Amino acid sequence: MHNFIFENGTRLIFGAGCLKEYLASFLERYGPNVLLVTDGSGEGARCGAQDEVSRLLRTGGKTAVECRVRPPCPSSKEARQAARLCREHHVDLILGVGGSAVLDCCKAASLASVCRGDLWEDFWASRGVVDLPPLPVGLVSTAVEVGAVNGAAGLIRNGRCVWRDYPPCDPGFALLDPAYTRALSPRELAAQGFSALAGAMELYLDPVEGTNVPRDLLEALLRGMIRDLRTCRRDPRNDEARGDLMWESTLWGSRFFQLGRQCTFPALPAREAALRFAAETGGGYTDVLAVLLLALCRRLAER
C-alpha cells in the first residue's frame, strides 16, 4: 500500500429519532442564516423530515432560504445558484435534506460560495488551488443512498460528469434515520440500493496498484449489500435490512476505501454514462446503469 493520512471530520449519527434528538444541538454551533438544500423529487417532504427540519430551524431562531436539486446528480448550474443564495443571504450553514444529489450540491456550493473563480473551470475540471475554507455543511438523510458523506462529490456540465474530493467540504454532521426511508416506494428503494451496489462494484473492479486491503473490505461490503438488497426486494417493510442497506450504501463511496491507492477517486464509466443519460433525458438512470454494469462485468470476465 502507498502512504496515506486518514482523517474523518464528520460526526455520523445513525438510528431512529436522531434528527429530533441531535439536530437542535448542532444548529447552536452556527450563525442564524441557513441554506436549506432539498430534493426536487419531494422525497424529504413525503417522509416528514423536511417539515421537522423546518420546525427545528424556526425553534432555534434560524432564518432559512431554500433551494431544490434534481436527482440523481446536480448540475454545475444548480451548484452556482445555491452558491449565489449563500452569498446574497450571508449563509452560515448549508443544510441538506435528501440523498446523494442533495449532498453533492451542498459540497459543491460550500466551495463555490467562497471561491474567487469559476467553480467548474477553476476547481472542478482543472483541480485548481483552494485558498479559502468552504462554508460548513450538514446533512439529514432521507434516502437509502446518500453517496459519499466522506468522499467525492459529483457534478454534471454539458453532458460530462466529474467527481472531485475535497475533505474540507465534508459535512460537519450527518444524521441518518432509516425510518425516513419508509416513504420510498419498493421501486425507489430497490433503485437506490442498486445504484449504491453498482458504484461499489465499479470501484471494486478498478485495477489500481495498492488496493488489496480496500478491495477485501469492499468485497465484504458488497456481500452485505447484495444480501440486504434481496431482503428489501422481498420485504420492503423489513426495517433491519433497510437500515443495514442504508448504512452500507453510505459507506461505499467513503475515502476510507481509497486509502493506499496510487490515485484519487477513480472514474466510474458506467455510473458516469448513466448519470449523463438521466440528466439529458430526465429519467432511466438505474435502468441504464444495470445494462452498462452488466456489459462492463461481461467485458472484464472475457479478458
Side-chain angles (χ1 to χ4, degrees):
M1 294 182 69
H2 297 271
N3 297 351
F4 62 82
I5 298 175
F6 178 62
E7 183 176 354
N8 183 2
T10 304
R11 187 173 184 186
L12 285 150
I13 300 180
F14 180 95
C18 63
L19 171 57
K20 296 180 180 178
E21 185 174 354
Y22 290 99
L23 181 58
S25 63
F26 283 124
L27 292 176
E28 292 175 354
R29 306 176 185 180
Y30 305 96
N33 300 318
V34 176
L35 177 68
L36 187 61
V37 182
T38 59
D39 193 321
S41 67
E43 185 178 279
R46 276 186 289 140
C47 69
Q50 194 170 323
D51 288 341
E52 182 63 23
V53 168
S54 297
R55 184 187 69 80
L56 290 170
L57 288 171
R58 291 193 301 270
T59 302
K62 307 296 183 183
T63 300
V65 58
E66 183 181 346
C67 72
R68 296 184 178 182
V69 180
R70 293 180 304 169
C73 187
S75 67
S76 61
K77 181 180 178 180
E78 288 173 320
R80 289 197 305 270
Q81 290 173 339
R84 176 179 55 80
L85 290 173
C86 289
R87 292 190 291 266
E88 290 178 354
H89 295 270
H90 306 287
V91 163
D92 303 294
L93 170 69
I94 301 175
L95 180 60
V97 180
S100 57
V102 166
L103 177 59
D104 286 0
C105 185
C106 287
K107 289 185 175 185
S110 73
L111 182 60
S113 60
V114 299
C115 70
R116 298 186 179 92
D118 179 78
L119 173 69
W120 182 273
E121 296 296 338
D122 297 339
F123 298 98
W124 224 261
S126 59
R127 299 175 182 263
V129 176
V130 180
D131 56 358
L132 290 171
L135 281 181
V137 172
L139 174 69
V140 175
S141 174
T142 62
V144 167
E145 185 192 21
V146 293
V149 174
N150 301 116
L155 280 183
I156 289 180
R157 182 182 179 184
N158 296 332
R160 182 186 179 198
C161 181
V162 177
W163 275 273
R164 286 289 178 261
D165 186 9
Y166 184 52
C169 291
D170 286 353
F173 62 90
L175 305 175
L176 300 94
D177 185 345
Y180 288 123
T181 65
R182 292 173 185 164
L184 298 172
S185 68
R187 179 175 176 80
E188 289 173 324
L189 177 63
Q192 290 185 13
F194 176 76
S195 176
L197 175 67
M201 185 168 292
E202 271 201 279
L203 189 61
Y204 177 80
L205 295 173
D206 185 48
V208 176
E209 180 185 351
T211 59
N212 288 338
V213 174
R215 280 170 60 86
D216 290 344
L217 296 172
L218 266 174
E219 183 174 338
L221 187 68
L222 282 165
R223 291 180 184 276
M225 294 171 80
I226 292 170
R227 177 199 64 217
D228 295 321
L229 186 55
R230 285 173 173 169
T231 301
C232 287
R233 283 181 58 82
R234 290 194 303 268
D235 180 13
R237 310 306 297 176
N238 188 314
D239 288 342
E240 183 175 355
R242 192 172 58 251
D244 287 350
L245 183 61
M246 183 183 191
W247 182 236
E248 290 156 349
S249 300
T250 302
L251 287 174
W252 84 263
S254 168
R255 67 179 61 89
F256 181 76
F257 291 105
Q258 313 304 317
L259 300 180
R261 281 180 173 265
Q262 195 173 27
C263 59
T264 58
F265 193 81
L268 304 178
R271 194 174 176 88
E272 290 175 10
L275 286 170
R276 186 170 64 249
F277 177 86
E280 293 173 351
T281 65
Y285 163 65
T286 51
D287 296 328
V288 174
L289 182 60
V291 174
L292 294 177
L293 184 64
L294 180 61
L296 175 64
C297 291
R298 180 172 296 169
R299 186 183 68 190
L300 293 176
E302 292 174 351
R303 285 183 179 177

